[in-house]
Amino acid sequence: MLTGNGQVLVLTPSVDMSSLGFAKLIESWPALRQFREGDPLGLGRSVRSPQSEALKPRIDEADAVSHSICPYCAVGCAQLVYVKDGEVTQIEGDPASPISRGRLCPKGAASKSFHDGPLREYKVKYRPPYGTQWEELSLDAAMDMIVDRVIDTREQNWQEVNEKGEPAKRTLALGNLGGATLDNEENYLIKKLMTALGVVQVENQARI
């Protein structure tokens, strides 16, 4: 614009920075972006944000993955255990499993907390008869105690014949309850051991 003395005067509109920030806020509103980008269901870019675009999966930095089975009920859902630097970083369902097809229940999905939870015990705990405190034992000592008690109980309660005088060759003083987290081969070997010992009261968590 020319003034009376021949000088050029430039007029610039005043900019309200607060209104500019408000306009950007409105433009970033997902509902408006859905309408503007033709994405009414919110399945495309309209729902993305700088925060969501910067997210990475928990398994992104894992350097190894191991196949495992969920340690809870008897269904036997398969799991993928992701490891980094020797530590478990994430546990997810295994899509290759014909049983669970990659799905896990809430307990199975929280298996990592079961694995490295602060309340997990890493040593054998033993409370002697009439004792009021738990004592720590080595695994070898605990296994020796179990073996000695199984053998002694079997010898003291062995039944060569039953009440009718028929061959029995059994003991009713011992029982075994198998775990659902064991595979078929392990349960088979335990059943063979119990049969060899004459133990007839054998059950499994899967049937209970």
Side-chain angles (χ1 to χ4, degrees):
M1 172 179 178
L2 291 176
T3 61
N5 57 7
Q7 294 180 344
V8 177
L9 178 63
V10 178
L11 298 177
T12 58
S14 60
V15 178
D16 186 353
M17 298 305 294
S18 61
S19 62
L20 182 61
F22 181 74
K24 288 186 177 180
L25 179 63
I26 291 298
E27 290 180 0
S28 66
W29 190 29
L32 179 60
R33 292 166 57 192
Q34 287 178 234
F35 177 76
R36 184 178 59 201
E37 299 180 13
D39 184 20
L41 298 180
L43 302 177
R45 294 186 56 194
S46 61
V47 294
R48 296 181 185 176
S49 67
Q51 180 181 2
S52 63
E53 290 181 350
L55 293 176
K56 294 183 179 180
R58 297 176 183 176
I59 62 176
D60 189 54
E61 298 181 357
D63 51 33
V65 58
S66 300
H67 295 266
S68 184
I69 301 296
C70 179
Y72 288 101
C73 76
V75 174
C77 299
Q79 295 178 322
L80 296 176
V81 181
Y82 294 89
V83 180
K84 180 182 179 183
D85 299 329
E87 299 290 337
V88 175
T89 59
Q90 178 68 1
I91 298 179
E92 297 184 354
D94 187 355
S97 169
I99 298 174
S100 53
R101 295 177 292 174
R103 299 172 178 86
L104 292 175
C105 75
K107 291 195 298 182
S111 296
K112 182 180 181 299
S113 298
F114 177 77
H115 166 75
D116 56 12
L119 300 179
R120 178 178 177 179
E121 293 288 352
Y122 291 90
K123 295 184 179 180
V124 177
K125 299 289 186 177
Y126 171 70
R127 191 174 68 179
Y130 306 104
T132 59
Q133 300 294 329
W134 291 96
E135 302 174 1
E136 292 185 357
L137 293 179
S138 67
L139 181 60
D140 290 339
M143 294 299 292
D144 289 340
M145 290 174 61
I146 294 173
V147 170
D148 292 339
R149 295 181 182 190
V150 168
I151 293 176
D152 292 342
T153 302
R154 180 178 181 273
E155 291 179 352
Q156 295 173 15
N157 299 275
W158 183 255
Q159 294 181 357
E160 189 68 24
V161 295
N162 61 15
E163 295 79 3
K164 299 179 180 180
E166 301 170 339
K169 298 185 182 297
R170 68 185 183 186
T171 175
L172 300 179
L174 292 172
N176 177 262
L177 177 62
T181 58
L182 303 180
D183 57 34
N184 290 340
E185 289 76 15
E186 290 174 303
N187 278 309
Y188 172 73
L189 292 176
I190 292 174
K191 179 60 170 66
K192 283 190 69 173
L193 173 62
M194 294 298 106
T195 301
L197 291 173
V199 178
V200 297
Q201 299 170 134
V202 181
E203 255 298 356
N204 190 280
Q205 175 193 350
R207 278 181 19 88
I208 299 176

